[in-house]
Amino acid sequence: MKTALVTGATGGVGGEVAAALLRRGWQVRGLVRDRRRAEEAGPAGVVWIEGDAMRVEDVIGAARGADVLFHGANPPGYRNWRGLAMPMLHHAIAAAQAAGSRLILPGNLYVYGPDAGTVVGEQASQNPRTRKGEIRVEMEAMIDAAAMAGLRTLILRAGDFFGPRAPSSWVSLVLLDKGRPLRRIVTPERPGIGHNWAYLPDLAETVALLAEREADLPAELRLQFGGHDLAGRAMAEAIRRAEGGTLPIRPFPWLPVALGAPFVPFLRELFEMRGLWHTPLRPDNTALVALLGHEPHTPLDEAVTRSIAALRRKASPSRQTTGPASSFS
């Protein structure tokens, strides 16, 4: 039985990866600050280890003997990324080095700027125009340095997350209004501009497939996850179909966000990222498909229906999401 340590296993991508590995017979450990809460919220079957990703000794101890370390821990929302994300990754690298594990990082498209082109491969130029994108580039550089020192690494980049375990994604927070009954669907895309989405169960299954082949993979590997590359307002239209086909689709109100940005940190970060909705970016998954033979892919309408059902089950006055969390990342 192979063993994986998953940081962020109670969150969106980490929870799905933990569940996918468990289905394939792995022993999965989850590093959490509150074991009781994790047992209630996380995937059944995870061995929960109390600790903090901000303490390197905790991560090293949890990773001991693990074949793979999946680093899914993220700061909540857009707050203090440099002060939290960088040290957490540093600790994950140290733990993977100590354990002899392969470190797997779920990347995103924030690392790219307009010069990367519309279809981006693993080696596309990384010149982001956002602070969050710059931090993600620095994080990848940290992994590159660790790989040069002998650490086995894998970065799997993907588009914006959505899915049953992603209550704080753009789909859940904005398009589905946190699970409340919908009177309209608000979508941030500029008319006619496409956007790339990663359905988390598909992304997690891809991670699990790659983890099973870990010993045969190159020591340092970068891959792109194709996901759902949708034209125009296709995501909003899929939600409308799932909701009966009659709801109006309206553009996201960027102006109030711009007016509030100087005063509210979350709105400032949100407004800074608006360029990703105005410029199409499609990750080229040719290398991934060549390696695995296929990319796991749930049809859009099925993925949206499952996501809505899960969000509605969780939605209640006492459990409504009040702000963004790690699934944005």
Side-chain angles (χ1 to χ4, degrees), residues 39-80:
E39 289 172 347
E40 295 174 355
V46 173
V47 177
W48 300 108
I49 300 174
E50 287 194 348
D52 193 332
M54 289 295 290
R55 290 198 296 264
V56 65
E57 62 273 17
D58 289 356
V59 190
I60 290 175
R64 192 170 291 117
D67 300 279
V68 164
L69 195 166
F70 180 85
H71 184 60
N74 277 316
Y78 290 100
R79 296 185 297 275
N80 195 16

Side-chain angles (χ1 to χ4, degrees), residues 3 30 61 79 134 155 179 207 275 311 321 323 329:
T3 300
R79 296 185 297 275
E134 290 171 355
I155 296 176
V207 171
L311 185 63
T321 301
S329 308

Side-chain angles (χ1 to χ4, degrees), residues 46-249:
V46 173
V47 177
W48 300 108
I49 300 174
E50 287 194 348
D52 193 332
M54 289 295 290
R55 290 198 296 264
V56 65
E57 62 273 17
D58 289 356
V59 190
I60 290 175
R64 192 170 291 117
D67 300 279
V68 164
L69 195 166
F70 180 85
H71 184 60
N74 277 316
Y78 290 100
R79 296 185 297 275
N80 195 16
W81 260 78
R82 185 169 297 282
L84 295 174
M86 304 292 276
M88 284 195 292
L89 178 58
H90 177 75
H91 298 163
I93 289 171
Q97 289 171 328
S101 310
R102 181 181 291 267
L103 179 65
I104 302 178
L105 178 74
N108 55 40
L109 305 186
Y110 296 171
V111 296
Y112 300 118
D115 63 319
T118 300
V119 180
V120 290
E122 289 80 7
Q123 304 306 319
S125 59
Q126 295 186 353
N127 298 299
R129 294 185 175 179
T130 66
R131 284 169 293 177
K132 204 175 177 193
E134 290 171 355
I135 291 172
R136 296 297 300 199
V137 170
E138 291 180 40
M139 292 171 68
E140 291 198 9
M142 289 172 62
I143 291 181
D144 289 341
M148 291 182 65
L151 181 67
R152 303 193 313 280
T153 63
L154 166 62
I155 296 176
L156 180 61
R157 302 190 192 101
D160 271 351
F161 299 161
F162 77 104
R165 294 181 188 270
S168 300
S169 67
W170 263 99
V171 169
S172 299
L173 276 178
V174 178
L175 282 87
L176 293 177
D177 195 21
K178 307 176 189 177
R180 301 184 183 100
L182 293 176
R183 292 182 295 175
R184 66 184 67 84
I185 302 167
V186 178
T187 185
E189 297 99 333
R190 177 177 289 174
I193 299 297
H195 195 75
N196 189 268
W197 302 90
Y199 182 55
L200 283 183
D202 292 340
L203 181 64
E205 183 68 11
T206 301
V207 171
L209 289 170
L210 291 167
E212 287 191 334
R213 303 186 182 193
E214 189 281 320
D216 299 323
L217 299 178
E220 183 179 6
L221 184 60
R222 305 287 182 273
L223 294 170
Q224 311 282 71
F225 179 81
H228 290 271
D229 199 67
L230 304 181
R233 295 177 169 179
M235 176 61 78
E237 291 165 356
I239 293 171
R240 177 161 61 182
R241 288 193 296 273
E243 293 290 277
T246 60
L247 292 174
I249 298 175

Side-chain angles (χ1 to χ4, degrees), residues 79 167-168 173 178 180 266 316-325 328:
R79 296 185 297 275
S168 300
L173 276 178
K178 307 176 189 177
R180 301 184 183 100
F266 166 61
S316 67
S318 63
R319 298 181 66 180
Q320 286 289 345
T321 301
T322 57
F328 269 108

